[in-house]
Amino acid sequence: FRQILHINGAIVEAGVLHGGGTLAWAKLSSIFEPTNHTRKVIGFDTFDGFPSIHQKDKKGNDGSLTKVGALKGSTYNSVKKAISIFDENRPLNHIPKVELVRGDISETAPKYIKENPHIVVSMLYLDVDLYEPTKVMLQNFLPKMPKGALLVFDQLNAKMFPGETLAVDEIVGLKNLKINRFSFDSYVSYAVL
């Protein structure tokens, strides 16, 4: 979060699951920039698990988690409730900090960009595991990211979910990114644009 503290724009998380990441970004924003009312945290999820599986997601994995409906997290209403509890005790709580976008990303992401042409994205956190939603998020939000913004990956180089790597390579090109990682986490990696 500190890497984007001085980068203007929203934090967009693709894949909310239980809301832990979404609320962590919102809490960090409230702690480190309590009066930044323009920093939104926008979480995209179906709240029903994977809506479909592309052929590219089936290459090289055992298929145990690449099924329609897999990785269904908390319900939309329970995450909304957690957000309302968070809002009770934060600065400028009359201005919404977190927004949830419910539905299939292939439909909701282009619609969101069309309805919010002003959006600037300081961080795009890709945690949808699959090829098609990763590709759609990159196509729609990457053009809204300024220099210094972070592109974060949750399943890059993961045999279990090859689709994320394939989409990133296809849309951005792996050779075009310096991909950093943390010594304490084998999955999460990021690139500074």
Side-chain angles (χ1 to χ4, degrees):
F1 183 86
R2 287 182 188 229
Q3 289 189 42
I4 62 156
L5 191 56
H6 300 291
I7 306 293
N8 194 1
I11 296 171
V12 176
E13 184 175 38
V16 172
L17 196 62
H18 300 296
T22 305
L23 284 163
W25 300 126
K27 186 66 174 173
L28 288 167
S29 178
S30 291
I31 292 168
F32 291 111
E33 49 182 16
T35 60
N36 185 355
H37 60 88
T38 63
R39 173 97 64 205
K40 304 296 181 198
V41 179
I42 306 157
F44 285 79
D45 206 303
T46 63
F47 296 94
D48 288 320
F50 297 146
S52 62
I53 306 297
H54 193 278
Q55 196 61 30
K56 291 184 178 186
D57 293 307
K58 297 178 181 178
K59 296 181 180 197
N61 71 29
D62 66 7
S64 61
L65 290 175
T66 48
K67 301 176 189 171
V68 172
L71 290 179
K72 179 180 178 180
S74 296
T75 66
Y76 174 79
N77 288 334
S78 66
V79 177
K80 288 288 279 185
K81 177 68 175 165
I83 292 167
S84 70
I85 292 168
F86 161 73
D87 282 339
E88 288 178 12
N89 189 28
R90 70 171 175 85
L92 303 177
N93 63 2
H94 64 288
I95 301 171
K97 172 66 75 184
V98 181
E99 181 180 354
L100 295 179
V101 182
R102 184 180 186 179
D104 186 337
I105 283 173
S106 63
E107 298 168 9
T108 60
K111 181 180 178 194
Y112 191 89
I113 291 293
K114 187 176 182 181
E115 293 175 355
N116 297 278
H118 67 281
I119 192 169
V120 174
V121 177
S122 60
M123 182 190 323
L124 177 59
Y125 195 104
L126 298 168
D127 190 11
V128 286
D129 310 334
L130 303 176
Y131 171 79
E132 190 64 33
T134 300
K135 179 181 173 183
V136 169
M137 291 302 286
L138 287 167
Q139 289 171 326
N140 285 278
F141 289 97
L142 194 58
K144 301 292 191 172
M145 298 177 74
K147 286 187 178 188
L150 289 184
L151 186 54
V152 184
F153 315 102
D154 202 61
Q155 278 81 27
L156 198 68
N157 193 36
K159 185 175 183 177
M160 182 182 287
F161 295 109
E164 182 173 305
T165 303
L166 296 172
V168 170
D169 194 26
E170 184 179 311
I171 302 302
V172 185
L174 292 171
K175 67 181 179 198
N176 297 321
L177 298 171
K178 178 184 176 193
I179 300 170
N180 303 289
R181 61 175 296 276
F182 301 103
S183 60
F184 56 84
D185 190 312
S186 58
Y187 272 116
V188 177
S189 58
Y190 65 96
V192 180
L193 300 181

